[in-house]
Amino acid sequence: MAQTWSCSHADWTLLKKESSLMPHKFTLQDMDNKIRTAQYAVRGAVPARAGELQAKLKAGEKLPFDRLVFCNIGNPHAVGQKPITFYRQVAAAVTDPSLLTAGIYPEDVKKRATEYLAATNNAGSGAYTDSSGLLLVRQQVAEFLLRRDGFPSEPKDIYLTTGASEGVKRAISALIKDERCGMLIPRPQYPLYSAALTMVGGRIVYYDMFEEKGWKTTYEELNQAANDAFTDGIKLRAMTVINPGNPVGAVLDREDVVMLINFATEQKLVILADEVYQENVYREGKQFHSFKKVLRELQKDDPVAYKDTQLISFHSTSKGIIGECGQRGGYMEYVGFSDQVLTQFTKMAATSLSSNTLGQIFVGLMVNPPKPGDPSHELFEKETSAIFQGLTRRALRMTEALNKVPGISSQPIDGAMYAFPSVQLPKKAIEEAKQKEQEPDGLWCLQLLEKTGIVTVPGSGFGQKEGSFHFRTTILPPDELLEEVITKLTTFQEDFMKTYGGGGY
Amino acid sequence: MWAPVRESMFLGRGALKNFARFKSLTLQTINKQVLEAEYAVRGRLPTRAAAIQQEISQGMSKYPFKELVYCNIGNPQQVGQEPLTFNREVLALLTAPHLLSNSEKLVEQGLLSAEAVARANEYLEKSAKVGAYTDSVGFEFIREEVCDFIFSRDGFRPDAKNVFLTNGASEGARLVMSALAAKHLGTIGFMAPIPQYPLYSALSTLMDSELVGYYLDEDKNWAVSLPALNAAYDDAVKRGIVVRSLVVINPGNPSGNNLTADTLRDVVRFAKEKNLVLIADEVYQENILTKHPFKSMSSIMHELNLDLEIVSLHSLSKGFLGECGVRGGYCIFENFDPEIMQQFVKLKSIELCSNTVGQLSVGLMVRPPVADAATLYEKEKNEVLGSLRQKAEILRETLSALEGISLSEIGGAMYAFPQVKLPQAAIKAAEEQGVAPDEFYCMQALETTGLVVVPGSGFRQVEGTFHFRTTFLPTLEKMQRAMKSFADFHNDFMKRYS
């Protein structure tokens, strides 16, 4: 169901305004409301407490666990995933070109590094680039998109960004004119969207995804959300879709994508397609269908109906198999925007000058990996298949294991990097949480942390159906560690149920 | 503007054919603040320059010059400056740690210094995995190194908790300004110098706030003056603006002024008196050409023992490193309310973290090599700074000798901001074209000499005066050639429009 925010602060601000005129420090009352209310649970209370416990462990304090296991954030390299050798060799060669003649790199590494250096006019990775990013990389992205979808892309519609998040924030800033503008956001969602929207003063309008339907939404639900928004005087401007889903891990079938495009087209909503997990599709029978491809196919069949559909797709070097979160590489593709609007987006990009050059190069490497026959291809294949197989294996294992834990149930993990199981919480636990002014699943996650050292994110941070409780855990820890997580979680949950009484949910 | 009620909303499937015949996001529907924001450093002139560059690359030789000389942007490595060897060696090793298994051989071959290997190993032991997100505020061990640097520079050590590692310095400014731009208090004003690096005006516009400009005194080498600060502040307050912050760029961009300790004391006292958050943009602190040294606003604040809310910005992009493309920097918060600091941490966390190579580069910036890599490092550093000094001198010599151009002393940073006394006829011709007179002048300079500079109107200036900003970053040889062509162009221009 749609849920809208009203942010009337009239009385409050009047009081505050008077006191704010007195000389005093910059305090919460002086802070922009929108910034103040924005939340981002992925780095919220539970991880913060984890930081404190980490410090205690370091100081030698005795805790019920030897180490923390960070299952709260999609940060593969932090939990043991190895970087891809070829990518790091090219990046190192670009960083210190004097090593190119040292005889330590295979030929294809040298070739790629030399190409990227040439693309910077041999200024190297230390110079600002064009605001939209290195042309060579944008060309490589365009070629990748053509291979992936069978439809051409233009480098001029592709912008390289500091991770996908920068692109998302830029799009939202441009789309939201005033407080009456809103966006459809899925619930549960990756909370960047609600945070970004709050920060620019736009209205969040949720559309629910139904757990019992494998986390899919329906046309009826979308329509209801849009109608509710209309009734509340909100002008919807855009719709976010995360596919594969975060936190839910669902992968949309082609007809789902068609339905969403149809709806957005009817309602004249710009589609923000967050596709950063497109390489992470594990479940048998599931396939990634890009919004761009499906849109182009629909446009081919019926050019008139879809003439004005607008779409922005986001991708990143942080996820997939590459997992290079720290490099902050990403891109966005604008589909269906006029050159004048693109000029405005270029101007916005210009105020940050350009994204880091090395991150841009990682985008190029991601979309243009070694090919069969290239000297680095064999090792590349070996490394990437190992990573992919590991993720697939752990996705399956996690789903199976979670469903065996009493009171916990998980939908199949189609893709992405997370499990988002529901937890049935006993009444007593819910009451205790209310007393402590915590979210019930927040209480559960904190206790899990304190007892086992496992760091997760409560479902309340992502949004969920009223009265339901979830938590998000990654599937990233290596197999052995994952087994440990499963064992400890099971024990914890059994104790939790005993403590708070098994009945009367 | 509201779109008309659409029946399609209630019709469900099959409604596809009934929608209105225009797109959702157009120039008419885009956020107005985006439309209004301007950022001249990457405006019309560089766009024209890019088009010319394209033509030259394709072999079209219709221009009286063979190549463009880019003096429009502080992007040193784009125009010939080399990065420091030590820094790049460490970063390459951190990017591809498997190279360390070969390190002895590479050191023997002279391709790596032993110190670079040691530093890379040291950082790796501190878990410097470049592929992982870090804490939102950045690697703790790097932040501690920043604190050590501040201690040796200023004599006191900030708390590492209050140091954020950022994707360049702009991120720090953006963070604070977005928190301060509280619409419920009224129209928020940010004081910033005129002329100024236009990031601040662009950010103000994007945040629906007002830029309260305080004029720098051109006759006094673009000094910050207390009367100008007071005049700007009082005028803004009279107009009902809630002035929340003071931005001071020192050394100045584009002014090139290195503020004296006395001026800095005035500035700090003024900020305290008016209860303003001081944003100290000090990214050019290593680019000093005056006899008097750089003094940080934070150190002045400590000297005066004032409890002032100040955020100090630094960056990898300038100085003698010139690592613009790496996107690294830091900001240090002092004297902020603890709840506000929590908010800043929250805001930073929404960005996840800044890029790791940039963060590690900050460590290299604040803690240069001291062992076997030190000699080469010093040599390279002195070469860059010496060259900048030389080129600043050429610029000054050439421009001051031209009639109709007056130039203040270049005290620091990377720019000159000369004033051009444009003849009336030129001003009129510009107005007829609907273009700012200094842009008109600069555009002709571009088409005639290939020199790319930024018109003063992009940085704001006293009404009726005209300037342009040029860097002195291209190679000595290019600068000499460019200055010669420019002198000819200028004299010719003045004659034509006299």
Side-chain angles (χ1 to χ4, degrees), chain B residues 4-24:
Chain B
V5 174
R6 292 190 293 277
E7 291 169 21
S8 61
M9 276 208 262
F10 305 102
L11 283 176
R13 282 196 187 83
L16 270 171
K17 309 274 195 275
N18 294 335
F19 54 85
R21 287 173 305 282
F22 47 80
K23 287 186 193 252
S24 180

Side-chain angles (χ1 to χ4, degrees), chain B residues 223-275:
Chain B
V224 176
S225 81
L226 208 44
L229 286 172
N230 276 305
Y233 180 86
D234 293 338
D235 174 73
V237 167
K238 212 185 299 169
R239 286 183 292 122
I241 295 182
V242 181
V243 186
R244 299 289 292 122
S245 175
L246 170 64
V247 176
V248 179
I249 310 174
N250 182 46
N253 174 9
S255 67
N257 188 307
N258 176 24
L259 300 174
T260 63
D262 279 334
T263 308
L264 292 170
R265 282 182 206 113
D266 285 344
V267 161
V268 168
R269 280 194 204 102
F270 172 82
K272 178 65 188 165
E273 184 197 314
K274 307 296 184 194
N275 202 29

Side-chain angles (χ1 to χ4, degrees), chain A residues 12-13 17 20 23-33 35-38 40 43 73-75 77-78 85 88-89 91-92 94-96 98-99 102 104-105 120-121 123 125-131 162 165 169 173-177 180 190 192 195 199 219 223 227 230 233 235 237 262 265-268 270 302 304-308 310 318-319 323-328 336-337 340-341 344-345 347-348 350-358, chain B residues 2-3 5-6 8-10 12-13 15-17 19-32 34-39 42 73-75 77-78 88-89 91-92 94-99 102 106 109 111-112 129-136 167 170 174 178-186 197 199 202 244 275 277 307 309 317-318 322-327 335-337 339-340 343-344 346-347 349-357:
Chain A
W12 185 83
T13 59
K17 188 167 185 164
S20 75
H24 67 279
K25 278 206 184 207
F26 175 35
T27 54
L28 286 186
Q29 67 191 16
D30 312 303
M31 193 176 174
D32 179 72
N33 282 332
I35 307 291
R36 196 174 44 80
T37 53
Y40 186 63
R43 295 203 170 205
I73 185 169
N75 196 9
H77 292 198
T85 304
R88 292 300 186 86
Q89 287 173 320
V94 167
T95 299
D96 185 0
S98 72
L99 296 175
I104 53 176
Y105 296 126
T120 67
N121 289 318
S125 57
Y128 292 128
T129 69
D130 279 344
S131 313
T162 306
S165 312
K169 301 224 289 283
S173 295
L175 285 161
I176 303 300
K177 260 178 116 141
R180 290 170 303 175
Y190 172 53
L192 165 68
M199 280 173 22
Y219 185 85
N223 241 356
N227 288 345
F230 180 73
K235 171 111 176 75
R237 307 280 288 123
N262 284 346
T265 304
E266 278 164 33
Q267 300 288 336
K268 299 210 75 60
V270 174
D302 191 348
V304 174
Y306 299 96
K307 189 169 63 65
D308 294 328
Q310 291 176 310
S318 302
K319 313 298 178 188
E324 293 276 10
C325 300
Q327 308 289 355
R328 315 304 281 112
F337 293 86
Q340 292 135 318
V341 170
Q344 295 300 315
F345 280 118
K347 184 175 69 179
M348 289 173 86
T351 60
S352 308
L353 295 147
S354 60
S355 61
N356 74 92
T357 309
L358 206 61
Chain B
W2 292 99
V5 174
R6 292 190 293 277
S8 61
M9 276 208 262
F10 305 102
R13 282 196 187 83
L16 270 171
K17 309 274 195 275
F19 54 85
R21 287 173 305 282
F22 47 80
K23 287 186 193 252
S24 180
L25 183 60
T26 61
L27 280 193
Q28 286 70 43
T29 59
I30 197 171
N31 182 348
K32 279 222 171 56
V34 172
L35 277 181
E36 285 164 9
E38 277 173 25
Y39 191 63
R42 294 203 170 206
I73 183 169
N75 194 11
Q77 293 186 30
Q78 188 63 66
R88 291 307 186 88
E89 286 179 3
L91 293 174
L94 291 169
T95 298
H98 64 266
L99 291 176
N102 242 344
L106 294 168
Q109 292 178 306
L111 287 166
L112 290 176
K129 283 198 181 134
V130 300
Y133 291 127
T134 67
D135 278 343
S136 316
N167 276 317
S170 340
R174 196 185 284 254
S178 65
L180 285 167
K183 296 255 262 291
H184 65 274
L185 293 177
Y197 174 51
L199 169 73
R244 299 289 292 122
N275 202 29
V277 171
D307 172 27
E309 288 148 295
S317 304
K318 315 301 177 187
E323 295 275 37
C324 300
V326 175
R327 309 309 275 115
N335 301 316
F336 282 87
D337 178 276
E339 283 183 322
I340 289 290
Q343 289 290 320
F344 288 151
K346 179 190 80 179
L347 284 180
S349 77
I350 299 176
E351 313 270 343
L352 295 155
C353 69
S354 53
N355 85 85
T356 48
V357 169

Side-chain angles (χ1 to χ4, degrees), chain B residues 135-151 156-165 330-334 341 345:
Chain B
D135 278 343
S136 316
V137 295
F139 287 118
E140 194 183 338
F141 67 91
I142 297 285
R143 290 183 286 120
E144 294 285 355
E145 288 188 341
V146 170
C147 295
D148 293 336
F149 163 72
I150 301 293
F151 178 71
F156 68 88
R157 201 172 186 285
D159 191 335
K161 274 193 347 279
N162 296 329
V163 177
F164 288 15
L165 301 180
Y330 67 74
C331 56
I332 305 180
F333 299 93
E334 291 182 89
M341 280 311 302
V345 173

Side-chain angles (χ1 to χ4, degrees), chain A residues 169-228:
Chain A
K169 301 224 289 283
R170 188 178 300 161
I172 292 177
S173 295
L175 285 161
I176 303 300
K177 260 178 116 141
D178 55 45
E179 316 81 56
R180 290 170 303 175
C181 290
M183 254 180 72
L184 280 173
I185 295 182
R187 179 167 51 197
Q189 47 124 12
Y190 172 53
L192 165 68
Y193 292 94
S194 51
L197 201 51
T198 305
M199 280 173 22
V200 299
R203 306 289 200 104
I204 300 170
V205 180
Y206 287 112
Y207 66 90
D208 284 311
M209 299 193 298
F210 302 104
E211 188 160 9
E212 65 275 14
K213 289 185 164 61
W215 292 115
K216 294 200 178 182
T217 191
T218 62
Y219 185 85
E220 289 68 37
E221 166 64 14
L222 289 166
N223 241 356
Q224 186 65 60
N227 288 345
D228 288 349

Side-chain angles (χ1 to χ4, degrees), chain A residues 144-153 243 254 257-258 261 271 273 275 278 287-301 306 311 313 333 335:
Chain A
F144 158 73
L145 293 170
L146 175 61
R147 283 194 307 271
R148 186 192 70 183
D149 297 340
F151 292 97
S153 288
N243 180 46
R254 191 180 180 279
V257 179
V258 172
I261 292 175
I271 304 168
E275 299 175 324
Q278 57 186 270
Q287 197 192 330
F288 170 69
H289 297 276
S290 80
F291 270 80
K292 165 91 179 294
K293 179 177 185 185
V294 177
L295 175 62
R296 287 291 188 240
E297 286 167 351
L298 291 170
Q299 285 171 330
K300 210 162 144 198
D301 284 338
Y306 299 96
L311 160 70
S313 314
E333 185 188 18
V335 182

